[in-house]
Amino acid sequence: MFPSIATSAPRRHRGFTLLELLVVLVILGLLAGYVAPRYFAQIGKSEVKTAKAQIVALEKALDQYRIDVGHYPTTEQGLAALNAKPADEPNWDGPYLKKAVPNDPWGKPYQYKNPGEHGEVDIFSFGRDGASGGSGEDADIGNW
């Protein structure tokens, strides 16, 4: 017949040994060390692409401002003139942006110069490091 539960042999519960757990942790560490740098490099590239796209959008808004007013905002008026009417601009027909002027992907305001050094106006970000110059992700990103 069927053996009763009380007479059956106790079951042995087996777990992982410490060595097996360490091997798995080492493998996971190696994978993370290989994948993480590639992942974070892609994030840096996407921030640069975002900055370029935002600069193009700001440039288009400035062009619309120029069509309405007859000239670009002064350096002193800055990009804020795209959302708030300057006191001395009767032909201003904005706002020229749906939302406030965005910061660059690194959280710093875009720079604006009129007249520009590279064109009629310059719109630029100092990049990840927030300082002029640099290379790679720290390089300045502008509309030139």
Side-chain angles (χ1 to χ4, degrees):
M1 288 249 224
F2 297 105
S4 70
I5 296 176
T7 62
S8 65
R11 297 174 112 186
R12 288 188 63 204
H13 294 287
R14 288 205 48 183
F16 295 106
T17 65
L18 182 59
L19 182 60
E20 290 170 330
L21 290 174
L22 288 175
V23 168
V24 169
L25 288 175
V26 167
I27 291 171
L28 289 174
L30 290 172
L31 284 172
Y34 179 74
V35 172
R38 294 177 185 271
Y39 172 74
F40 288 113
Q42 293 302 320
I43 289 175
K45 288 178 186 176
S46 68
E47 288 172 334
V48 170
K49 287 180 182 178
T50 299
K52 288 179 180 180
Q54 287 177 331
I55 288 171
V56 167
L58 291 171
E59 207 170 16
K60 289 178 181 177
L62 284 168
D63 288 341
Q64 187 61 46
Y65 178 99
R66 181 181 183 198
I67 289 169
D68 290 346
V69 176
H71 57 84
Y72 289 115
T74 64
T75 301
E76 293 75 28
Q77 291 170 329
L79 296 173
L82 296 173
N83 282 337
K85 180 180 180 185
D88 56 345
E89 298 296 350
N91 294 332
W92 189 88
D93 193 27
Y96 297 96
L97 295 173
K98 290 182 180 180
K99 297 180 181 179
V101 176
N103 285 335
D104 68 16
W106 301 276
K108 297 173 184 75
Y110 283 103
Q111 306 297 310
Y112 173 75
K113 288 185 182 177
N114 180 13
E117 297 172 12
H118 302 278
E120 199 167 349
V121 294
D122 289 349
I123 311 163
F124 58 98
S125 165
F126 287 125
R128 181 180 63 182
D129 64 354
S132 182
S135 62
E137 293 173 29
D138 294 336
D140 297 348
I141 303 161
N143 63 332
W144 53 85

